[in-house]
Every structure is written in C-alpha cells, then in structure tokens.
Amino acid sequence: MPTYKIRGIDVDFPYEAYDSQLVYMEKVIQSLQQKCNALLESPTGTGKTLCLLCATLAWRKSLGSFTTGVKMQTGDKSEGKNEASLSQSEFSGLSTIVYASRTHSQIRQVIQELKRTSYRPKMGVLGSREQLCIHDQVKLLRGKTQTNACRVLCRRRGKRQCSHFLKVTEYMKDNPHLGEEPVDIEDLVDIGRRFGPCPYYLSKEVHKNVDIVFAPYNYLIDRGYRNSLQLSWSNSVLIFDEAHNLESICADAASFDLPSWLLTACISEAESCIDLSIERRDKSNDKSQNPDDFAILRALLLKLEKRIAEVPIESREFGYTKPGSYIYELLADLNITHKTASKLKDIIAVASTLLEEHNQQKSTGTVCRLDRIGEILEIMFRNGGTAHAKYYRVHVREVEAWAGNGSKGKSRTLSWWCFNPGIAMEDFPKCGVRSIILTSGTLSPMESFAQELKLDFPIRLENPHVITPNQIWAGVVPVGPSGRTFNSSYRTRDSPEYKQELGNAIVNLARIVPDGLLVFFPSYYLLDQIIECWKSVSNLNSTSIWDRICKHKKPVIEPRESSSFALSIKDYMTNLNDTSASGAVFFAVCRGKVSEGLDFADHAGRAVVITGLPFATSTDPKVRLKREYLDQQSRPQGELFKVLTGDEWYNQQASRAVNQAVGRVIRHRHDYGAIIFCDERFSHAHRQSQVSRWIQPHLKCFSRFGEVVFTLTRFFRDIRIQGPTKVSLLEAKNGGNIGETPSSEQHMEKPLSPLTTPVAQNFDLKASYLHDTEKVCTSFLGEIVPANRSSLSSDNGNIVHCESSRDICSKVLRGRKTLLSQECGRVDLADCCELGEKSKDAPIAPCSSKKRRFITREYNLKQYFGNSKEHSSSDLRHKDGVTSNSLELIGQRGNLVDSVPSVSDETQGSAFLAQVRDKLSAAEYIDFVGYMKALKTKAMKISEVLQCISRLFSGPDRLPLLKRFKDYIPAKYHSLYEHYIEKT
C-alpha cells in the first residue's frame, strides 16, 4: 500500500493517488493542523471519501495511537468483577472525529470505504430506531410513535421491560473491542439478532469512547439529538460529507411551520389527556398526571388558534409579515414566556407519554402531535434570550382548504422562518470544535456557502475531475434545430415555438446519445406543460414529437409523489435494458429526487440535458422574504464586508441546483458522458463561472445546432471506437481506483500498480485518425439523421471549430466530403448536413472495412515527452549523436498511402519505428501511436505511458524493443522504466 508524506504526515492510501487526490488530502491535513475550517469540492468519482478518511485518520494517528478497549479482570471470574473498557482518548484528550452525511445509506458507503484503508480506529455508528430496532412490536412503528414506545418499554421493570435493552451492558463488558474493526448498522443488527443486545442502545454505548463516529446530519444540527450524544466536542473535528444542501438543512432545522390543522389536532390531544388523567384517577387512584395541567395546555392552544385567526391578512399573495421578535409579543399575550415555556414543555412531555401508553393499550400507532408543539417551543426559547430573533421573520398565510366534512374553508399557517443558516452551526465554535470540513461533489458556487453559514473558511478547494478531456463533452446550445433561441424564462417558456424547438432538439439528442439520457426541467410545471405539448399533433399527417422521441428511447417521467418514485426508477432501468430501443430517457426536475444523490453511472447516464435555470418561484413568500432579508443585511455593511445580496443568493441557488443535476453522470474514473446546456443564458460568462469548476475547462458555446449534432456524434463514435478502460463493476464502485496509476510523476519514484489498458486518447480528428479498422468498424455516425435537417445550413466549407479549453480540438475542413470518401468510401451524413455539401436525401454508404493507415515522415520522437522543466528541454539523441526520427501522426489532407520506414541508412529512430510496426499487430501499433499522441497532448502522464509501453513490448520476441525504447526516454525516468521492465 503506497504511503505519501503530506505536510509531514505519513498517509497510507490503498491505491496510487492522482494529483487531485493528493491536493485534496493536503487541504484536509492543512485544515486539521491549522485548526481552521475548510470548504472542499471534488467531483463524484475522484475518491473524495477515501481521501477524506485516509487524510483525517493519518493526522489523528500522528497524534497518538488509536483507542483500544481492554477488558480488565480482578479476583475470581465468577464474581464478575469486570471493569469497563479503557479509553485512551478519554485520558489523552485526543481529537474525536465526527463524520456526518445526509442519510444512513451514504454512511454505509463511507464505512465500506473505511474497510479499504489500513486504518483501524475505534469507531461507532449512530442510527435511528427505524434502522436498528429488533423488538418484534416496536420495529413495526415509525417516527415519534416508535421512539415513545421504545422509551416506555425501557423504563418498565420486570418481564414487561425490553429484554434486548437489558442485555446491552453485559454484552459490552464481554466485548470491549467492539468497534475496533469497522462495523456498520447491518453488523449491529446482526449482533443483536444473534446475541440479543439492542443494536440501538449498543451503538449509543460504543460511541462514548471512540476515535471516529459516523452519524446523519440531524444528529449534529438538531440540538436535541446533539445534546443526547455523549461526546467531548472540545478539540473535535466535524466532517460534513455531501454538504451541498447543508445551508437549507440548517435553516429548516431552526425554523417551524404551524398549520391550523396541526394546532387543531394538538387541542384534541390535550382534551384526550384531560379525560385519560381523570379516568386513571377514578379507576386506580393514579394521581401522577394532573388534569389541570392538561386543561391549561388546552386553553393556551385555543388562545393561540384564536390569535392566529385574528391576524389581519390584506393580501393573500403577500400574507402577513412581521419581524422575528413579533413571535415573542404574540406568545407573551398568552403568558408564554421564557419562564413559563419550560413548564409548558414538561406538561407536553407528560401528555405525550400518557397518550403513547394509551395508544399501546389500544394497539394504535397514532403519532402524538403535541410533540411538535414542544419542538417549536424548544426552537423559540433555546438560548434563554431573543437576540437571535433578528435573523427571523414571522409570516402568516392563508390558503383554501377542504375540511373533514367536505366543506371548503380557509386554513392559516403561522411560520417562523430562519434566514441565517449559521445559527445551527454557531454552537460548534463555542464548544471548542477544532475544525469543520464541508465537502461535496457540487459546492459551486462556493462563496455563498461561507457567507450563509457565517463561518470563516480560509481553506477552499475546487478540484478537477480525474477523467481525461476526451471522456467529457460539455456544450452550451443556445439555439435549436430551426435556429430559434432556447430560453426557459417566463417570457418565452409557454410559447408553442419554444416547446416545439426544444422537442426537436431532444429528438436529435435521443438519436445521438447511446443508452441512458437524462433531461432536467426547471420545474414540474414546465415538465408537464412541455410534455403535453410534445404529445399533441399539429396536423393529421405529422407525427408528434413524443412519438419521435419514443422511436429512439423509451421515456420515463419523474413523478411528483414520493411513493411512486421507486417504481419510476425501476421502469427506467427496465427500459434501459430493453433491446427493442436504443436506451431510455428520464424526464426529471432540478431539485427533484432524480437530481439528488442517485448514481447514473456508465450506460445508465451517457448524457444529461439541462433545459433551463431552475429559479425558485419569486412570488413564494419564503423566497421573497429571504431576498428581502439579505438585501437589508447587505446595506449597512457598506464596502467593509462582503455580504450576499438577495439577487446573488437567488442566482446561486439556481446554479447549485444545476450543478447537482449535472453531477448525475460521469460517476467514476472510467465513465464518460455529455453535459448539454440548452439555454442561451449559459453562454454568459457570469453564469458559466457558477458552473462546477471541473466542467468549466471543457465547456464550449456553439453558435448553431448543426455543430452540436456533428461534435456530439463524433464524441460518442470516438469513445465507442477507442473506449475508456473497461473495468469491472467492482472497480467502478470502488471509485475507479483499482489498478490505476497516479496522475503525476512527481511522487512516483515508488512501484506502481498495474494498469489494464489505456484510457481513450485525445486524437485530432483528421485524416490519419478517421480510418476504421476492420475490428472496430462502426456505422454509428452514419446512422445519425438530424430530426430537422433543413436547419443544418451550409457553412460553405468554413472551419467549424470544436475545441475545448484544453486544446483538444477537431476541425472540419473544406473538402471534408472528398477526404472522407478517400478514407473509407462512405458519406458521413452529420458532416454533410453540417457543411451543406450533400442533399438531405443522400444515401448513407456502408462503412469501409479498410484498415487504418498512417503517414510516416521524419519526426523527433522526443517531442512526445514535452520540453517542460519536468521532462527534458533538449532533443534526445542516440548514443552516436544521431537524432531519432518518428512517425508523423497527422498526414497531409487526401494523401493517404501506406508508407513503411526504411531500415537502411535512415536514422535509427526511423529504424526503431519500423521494428515496432513489424513486431506489433495493427491494433497494437495504433495503441502505440495513441500513447505517444496522448503524451504530447497531456491526456496521459509520462508514468502512465511508460507503464503501458512496457506492457506493450512484453514478450521474448519484443525484448529488443523493450530495451531500446529506454534510449528515447529522458534520463530522469530511466529508473522508473526499468522498474516496469522488471515487473513485465
């Protein structure tokens, strides 16, 4: 296992690390060493989680060995004098690492990554009762009902007490080493079923003395959960993985909504408590519950309901808005203050227990609504003061609602919205937390995160992807096939012309993109409207756009209802594997379930289309008040501090939703795909600056839709011909790290793990590259017929520029039709439609089976190793001083004849190349040329190329090639190449 020295810390990493991974780990360690916060973005598939674990645990290990549990015994074993496990961190004051992610499933994946590392810290994992409970009855319940039922059973004595709860202490005494090997929620459940202890309370015991604990977000953000954790927060390290939604989660955790139906239910429950307490007093003389307390609670709730109903709402659109402090004035009239709130919360807790016991006796799983009132009081009176009210707004809104008897009436909701997410995070610095690390694959734009959370993030990183440039196609498509502008703003989105133009574009893309296609709309409203338009037929003789899409891909539409979502995913995967169509298309919504956390790797997502900017509804009262709040906060600051304005926040929220949707494709090192922005607004520089940093270098704006058809078709054809490295599903799940080489030679004086096959190289799309071998001959490009051919106007032979910012470019030159005819005897329809050199009715000729041919000219082989300081700045010469010659990869246009280097009196470089061609098969020779070209274009690092070459020249008959190739390598890499030779 390789070890890297990063900022003085030895980091064991299970694979050879890429440059981006080393940079990421360096930032993590810097944050921990300097006791500061970090904001780190690294795309999905770059091994972010693994880097985070290795760097953090390496730093922690450098401070002292991990905690171990030792069972100490004194006296006779039969006396049971077993002491509890000792905790090293308990006495040493070493940092505890708290690793939080959004869901239990994500935590499960993190623990799987921990198992890949060499680190074995004492660990604990926290989960909910829904995940961990094994009690026959309680495990069937959900939410507060389950929690209360569990507590009641644990408080009982005798046979009625939960037997699993009783076995926890004994099991921990006998197994103090639990957690020294990675354990997941499933492992704890398995222990509970085999040996009897409650997995839920087992996890709570284990986490008391650990080096690292894994937990969902709400365990840290919610004060109630956080206070229940027996952790020492001083000098601890908090890691929030998948943190792209953290600001909204924090704001929601500090806010509340109290609809009238909930208040009515609470009043009814208070009445029930009065009756139950009186009944208990009369039947069993049980005076533990005072009915007068419940009567007071009921009276207060009735008064609150009346006050909310009396609020004057002049406009249903704008509702009734007051400053945050108004909530205390409203409640003070009801005699609910800081002094009385604690007493009221105690009454609610007793009422909740009473109702739960009654529900258990009646075998009903009714949720106690009064608990929500207790949570609301906790939010409002949490600090014993009202200073935090300045970050809030009180809002009362009214909507039409149907009553239980079928009559229509008005329903009001009282809201107390927090517009400063930093409130949920402010306690951590006060508790002495050492560092807070926020990381995700999509944090961009970053600035709003720091400003919203009100934390200082001196360390920030926006990492590039580990894929090569030819694995991604990213383009802004401002116009459709007919030249109409794409703009999904409210001014144009409802017009039939826009909907039809977008539909024609999707038909083209459905035809071009293989396998899975994801199409994201800004809202459910727009999704429904556009698909309805596509399904309509303008006249009897035409086919609807929807039917034309269905000819190429089977469609699935994201449902609004969460209950139907799992079925839609199943339908998509079924359609994707249906051989009667060329894949499936998923029509989804930004900020919907499809855009959040789902993995559309490999064929499940070959392209993602963004049809517009998903701005939140500007008239939504919460959005409107948030913008007003930010604008008010920014005014008094002047130019002294950078404060986020309402418009900036509004735009950045839309951009972040786009980045999240785009992140569904290209999920690992060997994946590839296209990112298509079908809205002219993405062509603006300020909008592109908010796109994830790893996409920006590849992003190109197209002026005509025909260019998109041509370049996108070429992209998928080339990747199909060459193909990225084919790895197993296991490798893909591992983040593409198995058997990979590092991305830089600077750290690589140590042995490398074997590379399978080269990643698809970046060739210039010129004559020498356009020949298809007999083995990989494809008619894929020839099958593409644009849905609206007439829009693909002629360019009169001018150059169509298709370059990315990394200069991996291809040019369609004048006379391309003639060139293609000479090369493979066929007509490329996409080319012809682009340049207007063929009639739209021209037939498609079959693909030629001719082998690739290359032009050989005198060329310096050393050019491929570059002339930077990292390589060698001088021309490489043979021992006799003669300059080596090589192959000229790009031949003269139209001059395609075989030419074999002479082995006579020409330079030794030419002779060497002749031997290479003689010893290698046609496919291997193409690979060899590809390695050289990839090195020149920096698509592959020199360490990768040397490794691939050594494997290519392996075998007894190729031993001379293996040894001679060393003469063409800069001296600084000789030892590295010799290492590959030895391994070969």
Side-chain angles (χ1 to χ4, degrees):
M1 181 175 291
T3 300
Y4 299 93
K5 179 77 75 173
I6 302 176
R7 296 183 64 87
I9 305 293
D10 289 332
V11 181
D12 294 335
F13 200 69
Y15 316 106
E16 297 294 338
Y18 301 111
D19 277 352
S20 60
Q21 292 174 329
L22 295 172
V23 171
Y24 186 92
M25 289 190 284
E26 180 184 10
K27 293 295 184 182
V28 172
I29 294 176
Q30 181 184 357
S31 169
L32 300 175
Q33 290 177 333
Q34 298 179 358
K35 296 185 178 182
C36 57
N37 303 327
L39 203 58
L40 310 176
E41 179 185 80
S42 192
T44 301
T46 56
K48 166 175 56 68
T49 301
L50 194 61
C51 292
L52 193 56
L53 287 171
C54 290
T56 308
L57 294 174
W59 168 82
R60 165 60 183 81
K61 189 176 180 180
S62 70
L63 302 179
S65 59
F66 292 130
T67 300
T68 56
V70 181
K71 184 171 67 174
M72 304 295 293
Q73 294 183 342
T74 58
D76 188 0
K77 184 176 181 180
S78 62
E79 298 177 5
K81 296 181 180 179
N82 294 341
E83 297 183 4
S85 60
L86 301 178
S87 170
Q88 178 179 336
S89 59
E90 183 178 356
F91 301 107
S92 63
L94 297 176
S95 299
T96 300
I97 302 163
V98 184
Y99 195 115
S101 194
R102 289 189 305 158
T103 63
H104 289 101
S105 61
Q106 289 173 338
I107 291 174
R108 187 180 303 117
Q109 294 171 9
V110 174
I111 294 175
Q112 290 298 319
E113 291 297 304
L114 176 62
K115 292 178 181 179
R116 302 185 203 283
T117 72
S118 64
Y119 297 102
R120 290 297 177 263
K122 185 70 178 291
M123 64 149 290
V125 57
L126 298 175
S128 67
R129 288 178 173 85
E130 291 185 9
Q131 302 285 330
L132 291 165
C133 182
I134 58 173
H135 189 278
D136 291 338
Q137 284 78 42
V138 179
K139 69 180 181 181
L140 302 176
L141 306 176
R142 291 293 178 266
K144 279 287 185 180
T145 304
Q146 186 183 51
T147 300
N148 293 334
C150 175
R151 288 172 177 171
V152 169
L153 284 174
C154 293
R155 283 197 296 262
R156 288 176 178 173
R157 293 294 178 263
K159 294 182 178 179
R160 299 181 65 188
Q161 190 175 20
C162 178
S163 61
H164 301 292
F165 176 73
L166 290 174
K167 296 179 181 179
V168 172
T169 303
E170 181 182 356
Y171 185 85
M172 286 302 300
K173 287 182 179 180
D174 294 337
N175 298 274
H177 298 282
L178 181 64
E180 292 180 17
E181 286 294 323
V183 288
D184 199 357
I185 286 176
E186 285 78 7
D187 299 322
L188 293 176
V189 171
D190 184 57
I191 290 172
R193 287 172 177 164
R194 292 174 60 193
F195 304 106
C198 171
Y200 177 76
Y201 284 100
L202 200 62
S203 70
K204 293 177 74 69
E205 284 296 317
V206 171
H207 95 271
K208 293 178 182 178
N209 299 311
V210 293
D211 300 304
I212 183 169
V213 60
F214 300 91
Y217 280 175
N218 58 319
Y219 280 55
L220 305 185
I221 295 172
D222 185 278
R223 282 196 170 196
Y225 278 119
R226 188 167 70 240
N227 293 335
S228 69
L229 300 180
Q230 299 181 21
L231 291 172
S232 174
W233 296 101
S234 178
N235 202 37
S236 62
V237 175
L238 304 189
I239 298 173
F240 289 89
D241 198 359
E242 300 298 333
H244 48 272
N245 286 331
L246 186 61
E247 55 179 343
S248 61
I249 292 173
C250 288
D252 291 343
S255 305
F256 72 79
D257 293 303
L258 181 59
S260 59
W261 66 265
L262 177 59
L263 196 51
T264 301
C266 291
I267 293 170
S268 177
E269 287 182 348
E271 292 175 348
S272 298
C273 287
I274 296 173
D275 297 336
L276 288 171
S277 60
I278 293 174
E279 182 182 346
R280 286 192 175 192
R281 176 187 294 180
D282 295 341
K283 285 187 176 182
S284 57
N285 199 26
D286 183 359
K287 298 181 181 180
S288 59
Q289 287 91 20
N290 187 350
D292 293 340
D293 290 339
F294 304 133
I296 293 173
L297 175 60
R298 176 180 176 275
L300 289 175
L301 295 176
L302 283 170
K303 288 182 180 179
L304 178 59
E305 184 181 48
K306 183 179 178 182
R307 284 298 308 272
I308 295 174
E310 291 174 348
V311 167
I313 297 180
E314 299 177 358
S315 169
R316 182 172 295 180
E317 179 183 355
F318 293 99
Y320 179 81
T321 303
K322 286 287 186 178
S325 58
Y326 175 77
I327 195 73
Y328 298 107
E329 298 175 17
L330 186 149
L331 295 179
D333 293 342
L334 309 177
N335 196 29
I336 301 177
T337 64
H338 286 84
K339 293 182 180 179
T340 62
S342 58
K343 174 64 175 176
L344 196 57
K345 286 188 287 185
D346 292 339
I347 293 174
I348 291 173
V350 174
S352 178
T353 302
L354 181 61
L355 289 169
E356 186 59 44
E357 291 177 351
H358 175 70
N359 291 335
Q360 281 193 337
Q361 292 175 1
K362 299 296 184 181
S363 298
T364 60
T366 308
V367 176
C368 180
R369 304 293 185 183
L370 278 171
D371 285 328
R372 183 54 183 160
I373 301 297
E375 294 170 358
I376 288 173
L377 293 173
E378 183 67 34
I379 291 173
M380 287 190 294
F381 299 105
R382 62 178 178 268
N383 290 326
T386 61
H388 58 286
K390 62 184 178 181
Y391 304 123
Y392 284 79
R393 294 293 182 269
V394 176
H395 185 76
V396 181
R397 62 188 181 277
E398 187 176 77
V399 295
E400 295 288 343
W402 293 95
N405 57 8
S407 61
K408 193 173 184 180
K410 295 179 180 179
S411 174
R412 290 193 172 190
T413 299
L414 169 68
S415 299
W416 201 47
W417 289 326
C418 175
F419 295 132
N420 176 14
I423 282 183
M425 305 289 288
E426 64 182 5
D427 286 343
F428 294 125
K430 294 178 183 177
C431 294
V433 169
R434 181 187 187 97
S435 300
I436 300 175
I437 299 176
L438 306 185
T439 184
S440 177
T442 51
L443 288 179
S444 300
M446 274 192 173
E447 189 59 33
S448 64
F449 258 87
Q451 295 177 32
E452 284 277 86
L453 295 177
K454 299 297 186 291
L455 292 175
D456 184 25
F457 291 95
I459 297 176
R460 302 185 188 186
L461 174 67
E462 294 182 75
N463 238 349
H465 214 298
V466 294
I467 60 173
T468 54
N470 69 313
Q471 289 174 258
I472 178 175
W473 186 102
V476 177
V477 185
V479 296
S482 299
R484 294 191 180 95
T485 301
F486 285 142
N487 189 311
S488 68
S489 65
Y490 68 94
R491 297 184 184 88
T492 58
R493 66 187 183 189
D494 290 325
S495 68
E497 293 79 14
Y498 167 76
K499 296 174 183 177
Q500 291 172 5
E501 190 77 350
L502 181 61
N504 281 329
I506 298 301
V507 172
N508 276 277
L509 298 176
R511 184 184 293 117
I512 295 171
V513 176
D515 302 318
L517 173 64
L518 308 177
V519 181
F520 286 98
F521 292 85
S523 65
Y524 283 107
Y525 166 81
L526 205 56
L527 169 65
D528 294 339
Q529 293 293 314
I530 289 179
I531 288 183
E532 182 181 351
C533 173
W534 290 351
K535 289 181 177 180
S536 64
V537 180
S538 57
N539 58 69
L540 297 176
N541 296 326
S542 63
T543 304
S544 70
I545 291 174
W546 185 256
D547 289 337
R548 291 158 62 201
I549 293 174
C550 294
K551 287 181 180 179
H552 304 286
K553 296 193 183 298
K554 293 192 173 183
V556 177
I557 302 174
E558 179 180 3
R560 291 176 183 259
E561 304 80 16
S562 299
S563 58
S564 304
F565 181 71
L567 183 61
S568 67
I569 292 293
K570 182 179 180 181
D571 289 344
Y572 177 72
M573 298 308 296
T574 301
N575 294 342
L576 195 62
N577 297 321
D578 190 343
T579 56
S580 64
S582 61
V585 55
F586 210 138
F587 295 105
V589 175
C590 292
R591 295 194 185 91
K593 286 187 173 294
V594 174
S595 69
E596 288 287 336
L598 289 183
D599 187 357
F600 291 90
D602 302 313
H603 75 292
R606 283 303 178 207
V608 57
V609 179
I610 304 296
T611 63
L613 285 161
F615 288 111
T617 305
S618 59
T619 57
D620 181 276
K622 198 171 186 178
V623 174
R624 175 175 54 82
L625 292 177
K626 172 75 172 183
R627 296 177 71 176
E628 291 177 3
Y629 167 82
L630 290 174
D631 288 337
Q632 291 172 3
Q633 294 294 308
S634 63
R635 287 179 195 136
Q637 304 294 336
E639 297 182 358
L640 296 178
F641 302 97
K642 172 64 177 175
V643 179
L644 196 68
T645 66
D647 282 343
E648 289 172 341
W649 170 83
Y650 189 64
N651 278 276
Q652 290 182 3
Q653 289 297 307
S655 296
R656 187 167 292 119
V658 167
N659 291 335
Q660 190 63 22
V662 165
R664 297 314 93 208
V665 297
I666 312 184
R667 303 290 294 182
H668 57 83
R669 172 68 177 88
H670 302 285
D671 204 355
Y672 64 90
I675 299 167
I676 307 163
F677 298 98
C678 288
D679 195 304
E680 64 168 347
R681 290 172 290 181
F682 285 105
S683 61
H684 302 153
H686 79 279
R687 187 64 60 191
Q688 291 184 17
S689 68
Q690 295 183 354
V691 173
S692 293
R693 185 68 61 86
W694 69 272
I695 299 174
Q696 292 180 25
H698 312 282
L699 195 58
K700 172 177 167 47
C701 294
F702 295 88
S703 60
R704 295 182 298 113
F705 192 81
E707 299 177 38
V708 177
V709 172
F710 173 77
T711 58
L712 193 58
T713 301
R714 181 71 66 190
F715 168 77
F716 283 113
R717 197 202 73 164
D718 291 345
I719 207 76
R720 285 161 67 101
I721 291 175
Q722 302 171 52
T725 305
K726 294 182 180 179
V727 293
S728 66
L729 289 177
L730 176 62
E731 291 173 312
K733 290 180 180 177
N734 290 344
N737 277 310
I738 289 183
E740 292 179 1
T741 57
S743 55
S744 174
E745 305 77 51
Q746 291 143 337
H747 321 276
M748 303 322 302
E749 297 303 326
K750 57 181 70 63
L752 299 174
S753 55
L755 183 72
T756 50
T757 54
V759 178
Q761 316 303 334
N762 298 288
F763 291 99
D764 286 354
L765 301 177
K766 294 190 178 181
S768 61
Y769 173 57
L770 293 172
H771 291 276
D772 297 326
T773 62
E774 184 174 2
K775 194 172 185 178
V776 298
C777 177
T778 176
S779 60
F780 177 71
L781 184 62
E783 295 170 357
I784 305 303
V785 182
N788 190 338
R789 289 175 171 176
S790 61
S791 67
L792 302 176
S793 57
S794 170
D795 207 22
N796 297 323
N798 294 331
I799 293 177
V800 178
H801 207 48
C802 315
E803 65 181 20
S804 71
S805 63
R806 294 189 182 183
D807 296 328
I808 308 302
C809 62
S810 54
K811 298 180 180 180
V812 185
L813 304 175
R814 186 189 306 274
R816 179 139 180 98
K817 180 195 70 173
T818 305
L819 181 60
L820 286 174
S821 299
Q822 292 176 344
E823 290 171 7
C824 54
R826 72 168 196 180
V827 177
D828 188 324
L829 186 56
D831 293 1
C832 299
C833 290
E834 174 66 28
L835 300 178
E837 294 178 349
K838 273 283 181 183
S839 166
K840 65 181 181 180
D841 298 321
I844 303 174
C847 179
S848 170
S849 61
K850 291 184 180 180
K851 293 185 177 181
R852 296 191 187 191
R853 293 169 296 178
F854 296 92
I855 302 300
T856 305
R857 299 172 60 189
E858 291 193 356
Y859 213 73
N860 187 356
L861 185 63
K862 182 62 181 63
Q863 64 166 320
Y864 295 108
F865 294 98
N867 55 7
S868 65
K869 292 182 180 180
E870 180 181 339
H871 301 144
S872 175
S873 59
S874 60
D875 287 342
L876 185 67
R877 296 178 178 272
H878 290 296
K879 296 176 182 179
D880 58 2
V882 181
T883 304
S884 64
N885 296 322
S886 179
L887 156 97
E888 172 61 63
L889 193 65
I890 302 173
Q892 307 243 340
R893 180 160 49 100
N895 183 20
L896 302 174
V897 293
D898 287 322
S899 178
V900 181
S902 171
V903 196
S904 55
D905 297 330
E906 296 188 13
T907 62
Q908 294 186 20
S910 298
F912 173 70
L913 288 172
Q915 294 176 12
V916 170
R917 185 158 189 172
D918 182 59
K919 293 293 184 181
L920 301 184
S921 66
E924 289 173 330
Y925 188 68
I926 292 172
D927 286 342
F928 172 75
V929 174
Y931 297 140
M932 296 294 97
K933 184 61 180 176
L935 182 60
K936 183 179 180 181
T937 59
K938 300 183 179 179
M940 293 177 67
K941 300 296 183 179
I942 190 170
S943 59
E944 296 175 337
V945 171
L946 296 183
Q947 189 177 16
C948 294
I949 291 295
S950 64
R951 297 186 61 194
L952 195 63
F953 289 165
S954 61
D957 60 328
R958 300 178 185 178
L959 186 60
L961 300 179
L962 188 65
K963 294 180 177 179
R964 281 200 60 190
F965 190 74
K966 179 181 175 182
D967 296 338
Y968 303 99
I969 301 172
K972 62 186 291 186
Y973 299 113
H974 283 182
S975 60
L976 188 62
Y977 186 63
E978 288 173 354
H979 168 73
Y980 296 144
I981 294 176
E982 293 174 4
K983 292 186 67 175
T984 304

